[in-house]
């Protein structure tokens, strides 16, 4: 269980999240939707520990909780190929190259020897997703994983995410609410800034 208790976050005295309480299960695919700039990415960053709350707390069940995240800006290592980026998470060993390649194939990346500056935006996003899936984690966070993908590729990528995260919690920020409803177990929609209130699912 992931519990968010009276969470607030502000930047330059501007509230982005205000007194948010949210309770999420240990497993399942949770989609977070809402208008651009409403604080969805900030919420993921807070859960990941990249940002610190201004007030409130985020509590995880169990003593340890490992998190893997795919970012909106991909954050790939420029000096490594797509295959090397994914294999780096697996320990950068020859023995794990086949697993890294399989993950890339499952999200539609077949030219695994390309470097990040040779990839399109959508390809970078999928390499980032494959890299996130390469890590064994209790919670997977995906920030707009399908934003630059056509519907067929988005569905293939969503299937790969669900295949490799069975039994654990996935939280994904998804811009397309209709697509979110189709692929997620639960959808949380924030329609205001700052994100506020109490949401329990």
């Amino acid at each position: 269980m992931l519990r968010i208790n009276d969470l607030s976050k502000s930047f330059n005295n501007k509230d982005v999240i205000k007194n948010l309480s949210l309770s999420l299960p240990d497993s399942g695919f949770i989609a977070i939707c809402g208008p651009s700039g409403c604080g969805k990415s900030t919420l993921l960053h807070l859960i990941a520990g990249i940002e610190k709350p201004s007030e409130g707390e985020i509590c995880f069940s169990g003593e340890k909780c490992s998190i893997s995240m795919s970012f909106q800006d991909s954050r790939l290592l420029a000096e490594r190929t797509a295959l090397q980026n994914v294999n780096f998470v697996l320990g950068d060993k020859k023995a794990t190259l086949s697993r890294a390649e399989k993950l890339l194939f499952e999200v539609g990346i077949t030219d695994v020897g390309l470097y990040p500056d040779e990839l399109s935006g959508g390809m970078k996003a999928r390499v980032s997703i494959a890299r996130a899936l390469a890590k064994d984690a209790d919670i997977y966070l995906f920030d707009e994983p399908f934003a630059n993908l056509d519907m067929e590729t988005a569905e293939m990528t969503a299937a790969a995410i669900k295949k490799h995260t069975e039994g654990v919690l996935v939280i994904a920020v998804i811009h397309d609410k209709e697509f979110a409803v189709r692929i997620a177990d639960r959808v949380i929609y924030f329609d205001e800034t700052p994100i506020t209130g109490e949401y329990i699912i």
Side-chain angles (χ1 to χ4, degrees):
M1 181 79 68
L2 187 160
R3 294 186 183 276
I4 296 171
N5 300 320
D6 294 321
L7 186 70
S8 295
K9 180 65 179 179
S10 60
F11 296 100
N12 299 321
N13 296 318
K14 180 181 179 182
D15 291 329
V16 178
I17 299 171
K18 187 69 175 176
N19 298 329
L20 174 68
S21 292
L22 182 65
S23 181
L24 299 177
D26 288 331
S27 64
F29 193 123
I30 309 300
I32 297 177
C33 299
S36 297
C38 76
K40 304 183 300 297
S41 294
T42 298
L43 180 58
L44 286 195
H45 290 177
L46 288 164
I47 294 170
I50 298 167
E51 297 283 352
K52 300 299 181 185
S54 300
E55 295 178 11
E57 61 180 357
I58 298 173
C59 304
F60 303 97
S61 59
E63 294 182 7
K64 289 186 177 181
C65 180
S66 61
I67 295 174
S68 184
M69 183 168 181
S70 172
F71 296 87
Q72 205 172 139
D73 57 358
S74 75
R75 304 192 184 187
L76 300 177
L77 299 172
E79 72 280 4
R80 291 174 175 263
T81 65
L83 180 61
Q84 290 168 340
N85 262 278
V86 177
N87 197 47
F88 182 75
V89 177
L90 293 169
D92 220 10
K93 301 173 184 176
K94 280 188 176 181
T96 54
L97 281 170
S98 60
R99 183 182 172 196
E101 188 173 48
K102 183 178 179 182
L103 283 167
L104 286 165
F105 284 174
E106 288 181 352
V107 295
I109 303 294
T110 55
D111 198 342
V112 300
L114 294 178
Y115 288 87
D117 63 359
E118 299 174 309
L119 302 172
S120 67
M123 292 171 76
K124 287 179 183 177
R126 284 178 283 152
V127 174
S128 178
I129 289 164
R131 184 176 62 178
L133 293 174
K135 178 180 177 180
D136 290 328
D138 301 302
I139 299 176
Y140 290 86
L141 306 175
F142 297 95
D143 195 355
E144 293 284 11
F146 314 115
N148 296 311
L149 309 182
D150 60 58
M151 188 55 65
E152 182 179 352
T153 307
E155 289 177 345
M156 174 181 60
T157 304
I161 291 173
K162 295 179 92 168
K163 173 184 175 181
H164 291 283
T165 58
E166 189 173 352
V168 297
L169 179 62
V170 174
I171 306 172
V173 169
I174 302 176
H175 184 73
D176 187 335
K177 188 179 178 181
E178 290 185 5
F179 186 64
V181 169
R182 283 206 292 118
I183 67 167
D185 300 312
R186 299 285 189 277
V187 177
I188 302 171
Y189 188 81
F190 297 118
D191 60 358
E192 59 184 359
T193 303
I195 292 175
T196 186
E198 182 171 342
Y199 297 80
I200 301 176
I201 62 171

